[in-house]
Amino acid sequence: MDNIQKEVVFSEHAISRWTHELLTSWGVSEYWARYLNLILLLCIVILLVYLGQYIIRHILHFIFSQLGKITKITFFDHLAEERFPHYLALIAPYGIIKYSIPVVFSGFRNWISPLSKLTDVFLVLIVIWGIMSLIRAGFDVLKEKPAFRDKPIQSYQQVILIILSIFGIVVVFSILTGKSPVTFFAAMGAASAILLLMFKDVIMGFVASVQVTTNDMVRIGDWITMPKYGADGDVAEITLTTVKVQNFDKTITTIPTYALISDSFQNWRGMQDSGGRRIKRSIVIKQNSIRYIREDELTDFKRIQGIAAYIDNRQKEIDLHNKKIGADKSIPVNGRNLTNAGLFRKYIEWYLINHPGIRKDMSLMVRQMAPTENGLPLEVYVFTNTTQWVEYEYIMADIFDHLIASVRYFDLQIFEREAGNDLRKVSISK
């Protein structure tokens, strides 16, 4: 009876029958010979798989590297980086495993069908991995192009990879169950509400990515500010679900992609593209230091470079107006007069026009803001000729260092809250 079963089991595969008979001839019992035969054949298959995959992978790596050098096409280099030769070389092990299963497991025929299905699943994974590596390599090439370097194309890459993954899951389901893919989609249709909930962020992120790209709202490298999420820096990466912002303190802030269309944020790209960055800062003048300029003081003020011609022209205009209306100049408030604040404002304007760090083709003005309880703000509103942060800060500091030091020459005072030692000096002087 045992001989009949043995003949049935090993009649189909001569290799398995030969190794089994070899083991029994060495004195191994029939029971243990089956398992030792399985282990021996498995070791041989594993060795063949390793050697086959190793040799083919290195050959493919060599071919792709040479193609990259000869053709100068970076796509081949990216294929090697994305491990495409590795996945392609896995086809050989698949073939070895697929056709060795009936041989290795000829003594365990119930295992052949499940293992064959698992091998087919492995083939599906190989194909999916290979296609994904091709897609990633293609997107890597696009990222090198100037037209796509700052575009959030990684979001579209992730969408394609998700679709491929879903396709692979459907095929695996069909292989393992032996049912049509239509059955899988019918089951998914019943669970669509759960799926929508699970992939809510992905769906919203994809819609947001499309809108961000279509409307050119954000590009990689843009400086954006989003106080709600504590983001103030350059956009480093835009994916399907998140946007990574590297803040100026070198920390990383992660923002949901859909937040770019649902919340407000500030994009500084326009400022950077214009080549000029705005300075909008005020000097607060004490209002009780503002006064009329006497005629005997005009000569001293004319010595200040930049406003002499203005004083002459303005004074002629004022004198003509006062003469026309018959103003009684024995009281300064009658008619029109020059003021020290007005001269200082004109001097600031002249100084900014002649400053080498200021853009002359963009808005440039010195305006008087509404008085407050702290004084009268004189606001400087200009644009620097650089957008570099360090240079911008240096130009702004240089301007206001000079203006603050110039206030005393116009007999004006800057408002400043008294400190404790200021009050002490007052009490001592009394």
Side-chain angles (χ1 to χ4, degrees):
M1 186 66 180
D2 291 340
N3 291 334
I4 295 174
Q5 290 179 347
K6 177 182 174 182
E7 191 67 27
V8 172
V9 171
F10 298 106
S11 60
E12 295 182 2
H13 301 289
I15 297 175
S16 181
R17 184 173 65 251
W18 179 80
T19 54
H20 185 275
E21 291 177 351
L22 181 64
L23 289 171
T24 53
S25 67
W26 288 350
V28 180
S29 65
E30 184 69 26
Y31 176 80
W32 289 107
R34 291 179 65 210
Y35 292 98
L36 288 175
N37 185 49
L38 174 65
I39 295 171
L40 176 63
L41 293 176
L42 277 176
C43 291
I44 294 172
V45 170
I46 291 172
L47 181 62
L48 291 175
V49 166
Y50 175 78
L51 290 176
Q53 200 270 346
Y54 180 84
I55 294 171
I56 295 174
R57 175 162 53 88
H58 279 76
I59 292 174
L60 290 174
H61 266 291
F62 175 77
I63 292 173
F64 279 98
S65 62
Q66 291 302 312
L67 285 173
K69 292 178 182 178
I70 295 172
T71 63
K72 305 298 181 182
I73 299 175
T74 58
F75 180 67
F76 294 108
D77 297 327
H78 288 298
L79 282 177
E81 292 173 3
E82 297 295 343
R83 304 187 68 194
F84 180 74
H86 171 76
Y87 298 131
L88 196 60
L90 289 176
I91 296 177
Y94 162 77
I96 295 173
I97 295 171
K98 179 70 174 178
Y99 292 103
S100 65
I101 287 176
V103 177
V104 175
F105 294 92
S106 59
F108 302 86
R109 302 188 65 82
N110 292 334
W111 291 19
I112 293 177
S113 178
L115 290 174
S116 296
K117 289 184 178 181
L118 290 177
T119 307
D120 292 337
V121 169
F122 178 63
L123 176 62
V124 174
L125 294 177
I126 293 174
V127 174
I128 296 296
W129 290 337
I131 296 174
M132 285 182 173
S133 66
L134 280 171
I135 293 171
R136 286 195 296 267
F139 275 96
D140 289 340
V141 174
L142 287 179
K143 290 176 184 177
E144 294 176 349
K145 306 295 182 182
F148 296 93
R149 194 168 295 163
D150 55 357
K151 298 294 188 296
I153 58 176
Q154 192 169 353
S155 300
Y156 299 100
Q157 175 184 335
Q158 290 177 325
V159 170
I160 296 174
L161 296 182
I162 289 173
I163 293 173
L164 274 175
S165 300
I166 294 173
F167 175 78
I169 292 172
V170 173
V171 175
V172 169
F173 171 83
S174 180
I175 291 173
L176 294 178
T177 61
K179 296 180 180 180
S180 171
V182 177
T183 307
F184 176 83
F185 286 111
M188 290 299 100
S192 58
I194 299 175
L195 289 175
L196 289 174
L197 184 61
M198 290 174 57
F199 294 99
K200 181 190 71 171
D201 290 340
V202 175
I203 296 170
M204 294 177 65
F206 174 67
V207 174
S209 297
V210 173
Q211 290 186 339
V212 165
T213 305
T214 303
N215 299 322
D216 198 20
M217 296 168 62
V218 178
R219 301 174 188 170
I220 296 174
D222 282 358
W223 170 17
I224 67 170
T225 304
M226 208 167 185
K228 179 178 178 180
Y229 294 92
D232 184 15
D234 298 328
V235 176
E237 184 180 275
I238 301 176
T239 65
L240 193 61
T241 56
T242 59
V243 176
K244 290 184 180 179
V245 178
Q246 184 174 37
N247 300 314
F248 294 124
D249 60 358
K250 300 305 179 182
T251 59
I252 301 293
T253 298
T254 302
I255 304 170
T257 305
Y258 61 81
L260 295 178
I261 59 175
S262 62
D263 298 326
S264 63
F265 68 95
Q266 188 173 16
N267 192 332
W268 296 82
R269 188 202 313 158
M271 177 272 292
Q272 293 173 325
D273 292 344
S274 69
R277 185 172 176 182
R278 185 184 68 177
I279 295 177
K280 186 176 181 290
R281 182 180 288 185
S282 300
I283 297 177
V284 182
I285 304 297
K286 292 181 69 173
Q287 297 181 75
N288 61 4
S289 68
I290 299 174
R291 63 177 180 82
Y292 295 126
I293 301 297
R294 301 189 306 272
E295 288 190 13
D296 59 338
E297 296 178 304
L298 291 178
T299 302
D300 292 334
F301 279 107
K302 287 180 183 180
R303 294 171 57 192
I304 299 175
Q305 188 178 7
I307 62 172
Y310 170 77
I311 291 174
D312 289 334
N313 295 332
R314 189 68 169 171
Q315 190 60 43
K316 288 179 182 178
E317 181 183 337
I318 289 173
D319 290 342
L320 183 62
H321 174 78
N322 290 339
K323 183 178 180 180
K324 183 178 180 180
I325 65 172
D328 180 7
K329 295 307 295 176
S330 61
I331 301 177
V333 75
N334 291 331
R336 296 171 62 185
N337 298 275
L338 288 171
T339 64
N340 56 349
L343 292 180
F344 183 54
R345 184 160 37 86
K346 192 64 182 178
Y347 172 76
I348 296 174
E349 183 180 320
W350 173 85
Y351 180 76
L352 295 174
I353 291 174
N354 289 275
H355 195 285
I358 298 300
R359 290 282 297 262
K360 312 306 185 296
D361 58 337
M362 301 180 76
S363 297
L364 188 156
M365 64 177 172
V366 181
R367 58 177 180 169
Q368 188 180 106
M369 307 295 287
T372 68
E373 68 276 8
N374 295 328
L376 180 69
L378 291 180
E379 185 182 78
V380 173
Y381 192 101
V382 292
F383 288 81
T384 61
N385 58 9
T386 179
T387 60
Q388 296 298 318
W389 191 6
V390 176
E391 296 178 18
Y392 165 80
E393 293 290 346
Y394 175 81
I395 292 171
M396 182 166 59
D398 180 64
I399 290 172
F400 279 88
D401 285 348
H402 181 84
L403 297 183
I404 291 171
S406 302
V407 169
R408 67 185 68 182
Y409 293 96
F410 293 85
D411 196 24
L412 292 167
Q413 295 181 20
I414 295 177
F415 174 83
E416 188 174 44
R417 296 186 184 277
E418 292 81 0
N421 59 344
D422 295 328
L423 297 175
R424 184 171 178 272
K425 289 177 183 178
V426 172
S427 62
I428 292 173
S429 64
K430 287 183 178 180

